[in-house]
């Protein structure tokens, strides 16, 4: 098997299966996080994979599928902008909760569609980085119990992007066993 180690990559992510020397499939494990061409494959799910498809494991490992028989038909190497495209696809798949969706709808009503779309793209980009920072922090500094959060400030900022704040919090365990997060 192939072993990769890194943030948001579980012990067993998936099984890649070559059936009949041409039909490839990815079978995602219960703990795996896999995307094919930007589309998340459900846990315990299965997807067919074809020549030139992109497979992303976790958040950081992106691979291009090469089927030797099909490679001869290619007209050249991969586009150098591919890395940025993959990153944008991953950012676009960052979850948006109901409160944020309401915030974006309010922005759209106040400032128009382009502004709300730009804000949402910015938020997803920041959220993607914050999620990765939390994974890294949990791996390297677990005892510090630090957590990064992205928040949207209510009110009318001069620019909608000024409404995004990243906070660093620290988990505190109280005498009664309850936990809370306090500003760090």
């Amino acid at each position: 098997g192939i072993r990769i180690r890194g943030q948001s990559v579980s012990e067993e992510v998936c099984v890649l299966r070559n059936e009949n020397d041409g039909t490839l499939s990815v079978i995602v494990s219960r703990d795996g996080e896999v995307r094919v061409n930007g589309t998340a494959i459900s846990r315990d799910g299965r997807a067919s994979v074809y020549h030139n498809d992109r497979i992303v494991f976790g958040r950081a490992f992106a691979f291009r599928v090469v089927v030797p028989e099909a490679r001869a038909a290619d007209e050249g190497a991969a586009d150098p902008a591919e890395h940025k495209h993959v990153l944008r696809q991953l950012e676009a798949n960052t979850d948006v909760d109901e409160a944020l969706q309401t915030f974006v709808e309010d922005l759209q009503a106040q400032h128009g569609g382009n502004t709300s779309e730009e804000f949402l793209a910015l938020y997803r980009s920041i959220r993607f980085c914050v999620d990765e920072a939390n994974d890294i922090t949990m791996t390297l500094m677990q005892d510090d119990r630090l957590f990064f959060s992205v928040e949207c400030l209510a009110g009318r900022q001069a620019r909608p992007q000024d409404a995004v704040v990243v906070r660093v919090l620290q988990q505190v365990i109280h005498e009664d066993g309850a936990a809370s997060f306090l500003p760090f």
Side-chain angles (χ1 to χ4, degrees):
I2 300 170
R3 294 203 182 271
I4 56 175
R5 295 181 65 193
Q7 303 306 315
S8 71
V9 176
S10 61
E11 186 70 28
E12 183 177 318
V13 176
C14 68
V15 172
L16 295 171
R17 184 164 288 146
N18 179 353
E19 301 164 0
N20 303 322
D21 279 339
T23 303
L24 301 174
S25 60
V26 59
I27 305 158
V28 181
S29 72
R30 196 171 317 169
D31 298 324
E33 182 178 334
V34 178
R35 295 182 184 280
V36 175
N37 297 326
T39 302
I41 308 304
S42 63
R43 292 190 165 117
D44 289 328
R46 179 185 192 118
S48 295
V49 183
Y50 303 96
H51 181 69
N52 271 339
D53 281 353
R54 287 181 316 279
I55 302 177
V56 178
F57 304 106
R59 290 193 185 100
F61 296 96
F63 296 89
R64 168 83 59 198
V65 175
V66 176
V67 177
E69 289 80 19
R71 186 176 191 181
D74 279 350
E75 294 182 10
D79 182 358
E82 184 69 19
H83 176 73
K84 286 184 180 182
H85 177 72
V86 170
L87 185 58
R88 279 192 213 104
Q89 277 187 329
L90 290 171
E91 290 169 356
N93 286 309
T94 299
D95 293 334
V96 174
D97 63 22
E98 191 174 322
L100 180 62
Q101 189 62 43
T102 300
F103 183 84
V104 170
E105 289 168 3
D106 290 346
L107 264 181
Q108 188 169 1
Q110 294 172 14
H111 299 280
N114 285 345
T115 301
S116 62
E117 289 171 19
E118 289 171 10
F119 169 80
L120 191 54
L122 173 69
Y123 174 85
R124 284 181 165 149
S125 175
I126 292 170
R127 173 71 187 271
F128 179 79
C129 294
V130 165
D131 288 346
E132 190 168 24
N134 281 327
D135 286 345
I136 292 168
T137 302
M138 286 299 297
T139 300
L140 300 178
M141 302 169 56
Q142 188 172 15
D143 294 340
D144 292 343
R145 296 188 179 134
L146 296 178
F147 177 77
F148 296 86
S149 73
V150 182
E151 299 173 19
C152 297
L153 302 175
R156 291 182 174 249
Q157 284 69 23
R159 299 177 313 159
Q161 59 266 38
D162 293 337
V164 180
V165 175
V166 176
R167 297 188 193 276
V168 181
L169 306 170
Q170 185 172 38
Q171 184 182 34
V172 176
I173 307 296
H174 302 282
E175 289 179 14
D176 63 0
S180 63
F181 286 95
L182 301 175
F184 182 71

